[in-house]
Amino acid sequence: MSGLESFTVIRVIGNNVVMATGGKKESEYVILGKGIGFGIKAGAEISASDSRIEKLFKLEDREQWSQAHHLLEEFDPLVMDITDQILNMIVQEFPGTLNDKVYLALPSHIQFTVYRIRKGMDIINPFLEETRISFPKEYEIAVKAAELIGQAFHITVPEDEIGFLTYHVYSAVSHVPVGHLVKASNVVGTLVKQIETKRRIRFDRGSMDYVRLLMHLRFSVDRILNQDVNVDNPFAEQIRAKFADEYELAKELAAMMERELGKKVPEAEVCFLAMHLYRLFTGRLQQKNQLKEES
């Protein structure tokens, strides 16, 4: 904010959001802060040192400004108030800087959700269970967010929607785009189905086997998307020889990830996946044999 002395308000969106210009080049901004828009009108001045300013977004180009302007004009003031409460909950649980995009993405999502529920439109989330397992703390916040939305708009927010709200909570604190999370969840679901099909098994969705598999696949997909796998697996040769069947299945899964994600899956990741599959299948076999002996 160096070099900025004050902002001129263009439009008051709500008690906590205004659009303004400021600086030598009269750049365009969205300013968020508790009470920042209360009692002021277009043309009013806001000091750059105003203690109420919590977030300041510089809109870099005309297209971005036009999009933000359109979104903010359409937002119900109550949606903005609920968004502010939800963001406060997130900050309390996850101290730090939130993803800037959440300040527009979350109210946009909430407003559309309220519209869909009021119109009786179904909200179906095929990734609900995977989301609840992968992001438990974020899911808890989403449950509270759904309660706030329900109370404010006198609607019942379905559990499937809580899963989608969880994505926005996680995106806010991790700075990972919501679209990235949806893609990762879709790929993980596809991989689980492939494992079940190839091995002719069915995982109990509440079992520890399923939870461990989901977490491993989720971390694997995230590493590949973020290109975080940069180490060799020193046991690669032994894994390929000792766990041949699991390695072949891991290669199939890697090929699916490459097609879906458009990223190369390193050999080290294939070997790590093969090791996990071996432990998974061996554990299931031991449990099965133990049950036979007990019966």
Side-chain angles (χ1 to χ4, degrees), residues 54-284:
E54 296 175 8
K55 297 295 289 186
L56 182 67
F57 302 108
K58 183 178 180 181
L59 302 172
E60 300 291 350
D61 54 46
R62 298 306 307 178
E63 183 178 352
Q64 188 182 16
W65 171 259
S66 177
Q67 181 184 29
H69 195 281
H70 173 72
L71 282 173
L72 290 168
E73 280 188 335
E74 295 296 323
F75 287 149
D76 183 331
L78 185 54
V79 166
M80 299 302 296
D81 183 55
I82 293 300
T83 298
D84 188 50
Q85 293 181 52
I86 295 172
L87 293 176
N88 285 337
M89 285 196 301
I90 296 174
V91 170
Q92 288 174 8
E93 290 295 324
F94 297 95
T97 304
L98 298 184
N99 182 354
D100 285 351
K101 292 183 179 178
V102 73
Y103 292 92
L104 292 180
L106 183 56
S108 179
H109 178 82
I110 292 172
Q111 184 142 312
F112 187 51
T113 294
V114 172
Y115 171 82
R116 292 178 68 184
I117 293 173
R118 284 178 169 172
K119 292 294 183 180
M121 301 167 66
D122 290 334
I123 298 177
I124 300 173
N125 187 345
F127 315 122
L128 179 61
E129 190 62 28
E130 189 264 343
T131 302
R132 181 167 32 215
I133 292 171
S134 299
F135 313 116
K137 193 172 181 180
E138 292 83 353
Y139 187 85
E140 289 180 9
I141 295 175
V143 169
K144 296 176 183 177
E147 291 173 356
L148 285 175
I149 295 168
Q151 292 168 4
F153 294 96
H154 308 290
I155 57 176
T156 299
V157 178
E159 191 173 18
D160 287 60
E161 169 57 24
I162 294 174
F164 290 125
L165 286 169
T166 302
Y167 282 156
H168 284 275
V169 176
Y170 183 78
S171 177
V173 299
S174 69
H175 297 258
V176 174
V178 172
H180 170 122
L181 298 173
V182 173
K183 176 182 283 190
S185 293
N186 185 53
V187 172
V188 168
T190 301
L191 296 175
V192 171
K193 289 179 183 177
Q194 180 69 2
I195 293 169
E196 290 180 322
T197 300
K198 295 294 290 188
R199 284 300 179 112
R200 297 179 180 178
I201 59 178
R202 172 71 178 175
F203 292 107
D204 178 354
R205 267 33 185 180
S207 69
M208 286 306 300
D209 280 348
Y210 181 67
V211 171
R212 292 191 188 102
L213 178 60
L214 274 184
M215 297 305 291
H216 183 89
L217 293 175
R218 162 65 68 172
F219 291 147
S220 181
V221 168
D222 286 345
R223 285 193 298 268
I224 292 163
L225 281 171
N226 296 322
Q227 296 292 293
D228 286 341
V229 183
N230 298 312
V231 297
D232 293 328
N233 188 323
F235 305 107
E237 197 63 39
Q238 294 94 315
I239 291 170
R240 285 190 285 265
K242 187 175 181 180
F243 313 138
D245 290 343
E246 290 78 16
Y247 178 75
E248 287 302 315
L249 177 54
K251 285 204 304 183
E252 290 183 30
L253 298 176
M256 294 173 66
M257 285 191 276
E258 288 185 354
R259 288 195 300 270
E260 295 294 328
L261 302 174
K263 301 275 188 177
K264 178 69 177 174
V265 178
E267 178 65 10
E269 189 66 43
V270 178
C271 291
F272 287 134
L273 181 53
M275 289 175 63
H276 180 80
L277 292 173
Y278 174 78
R279 288 195 295 266
L280 174 66
F281 298 144
T282 300
R284 287 176 63 86

Side-chain angles (χ1 to χ4, degrees), residues 6-63:
S6 66
F7 302 99
T8 301
V9 175
I10 298 174
R11 180 178 176 82
V12 178
I13 306 301
N15 287 340
N16 305 317
V17 186
V18 299
M19 304 185 80
T21 59
K24 294 180 180 179
K25 296 183 179 180
E26 286 297 299
S27 297
E28 296 152 333
Y29 296 87
V30 173
I31 305 175
L32 296 100
K34 196 166 187 64
I36 196 72
F38 182 75
I40 65 171
K41 297 181 179 180
E45 297 290 315
I46 297 177
S47 171
S49 61
D50 193 314
S51 61
R52 295 173 300 173
I53 297 176
E54 296 175 8
K55 297 295 289 186
L56 182 67
F57 302 108
K58 183 178 180 181
L59 302 172
E60 300 291 350
D61 54 46
R62 298 306 307 178
E63 183 178 352

